[in-house]
Amino acid sequence: MQEREWELDDPSALIEQVVLWCSEHGFVDDEAYCQSRIRVGQTKGKSQARLSQELVFKGADKDVVSSALEESEHDDQKAALYYARRRGLGPFARKDREEKHDKHLASLLRAGFSYSLAKQTLEYSFDEAQDILLGFPAD
């Protein structure tokens, strides 16, 4: 408005029109946004719990977030392994894997993964973890 030197007493009316126009033309789609963030979140190692919390915090409706999570192919096991790989935990630890077990476990728990999943993630060998991430079936 400043660039075009428009002077409005109440710019909120214009803002409402723009938001309505964007919604009508599909530029605002919470469902698609949530699905996109969930897909990206898994490869970044984010748990379903963390993703749900982040999306609700960003303003997405809880029902929309729940629906998007149910429809998604998000796999917390793969997400935990992506997280472990990114942080060098468990099967991806460079050294002192056994000595740092409790710290690695705590890191996975803080990231929103369940205790049983975090414990299981740390028990995988490097090859098992890679096979899961690559989608190879278990023996």
Side-chain angles (χ1 to χ4, degrees), residues 51-95:
L51 286 167
S52 177
Q53 183 182 37
E54 286 179 2
L55 290 168
V56 169
F57 180 75
K58 288 186 178 272
D61 184 72
K62 287 181 183 180
D63 293 334
V64 172
V65 173
S66 295
S67 173
L69 280 168
E70 288 174 13
E71 292 175 12
S72 75
E73 295 179 8
H74 186 280
D75 181 355
D76 259 3
Q77 182 183 40
K78 282 187 177 181
L81 287 168
Y82 279 120
Y83 180 82
R85 185 173 69 181
R86 193 171 55 121
R87 301 287 308 254
L89 308 176
F92 303 100
R94 290 173 193 22
K95 58 182 178 178

Side-chain angles (χ1 to χ4, degrees), residues 8-138:
L8 295 172
D9 294 333
D10 185 19
S12 63
L14 179 62
I15 292 170
E16 287 178 30
Q17 288 177 350
V18 170
V19 170
L20 181 62
W21 185 87
C22 288
S23 295
E24 288 172 351
H25 289 84
F27 295 116
V28 179
D29 185 351
D30 286 349
E31 181 79 23
Y33 175 76
C34 288
Q35 290 171 349
S36 172
R37 298 307 310 159
I38 291 167
R39 277 191 305 276
V40 170
Q42 177 174 308
T43 59
K44 287 188 174 186
K46 293 186 179 184
S47 67
Q48 284 189 8
R50 176 64 52 93
L51 286 167
S52 177
Q53 183 182 37
E54 286 179 2
L55 290 168
V56 169
F57 180 75
K58 288 186 178 272
D61 184 72
K62 287 181 183 180
D63 293 334
V64 172
V65 173
S66 295
S67 173
L69 280 168
E70 288 174 13
E71 292 175 12
S72 75
E73 295 179 8
H74 186 280
D75 181 355
D76 259 3
Q77 182 183 40
K78 282 187 177 181
L81 287 168
Y82 279 120
Y83 180 82
R85 185 173 69 181
R86 193 171 55 121
R87 301 287 308 254
L89 308 176
F92 303 100
R94 290 173 193 22
K95 58 182 178 178
D96 303 330
R97 179 176 173 175
E98 297 303 319
E99 292 176 21
K100 301 215 179 207
H101 181 271
D102 291 344
K103 287 185 178 188
H104 292 185
L105 182 63
S107 180
L108 283 161
L109 294 173
R110 282 191 304 272
F113 297 104
S114 70
Y115 177 79
S116 60
L117 181 60
K119 189 175 175 190
Q120 179 186 25
T121 300
L122 296 179
E123 291 173 358
Y124 287 124
S125 70
F126 177 80
D127 291 335
E128 290 171 327
Q130 286 293 89
D131 286 349
I132 291 169
L133 289 177
L134 294 173
F136 295 131

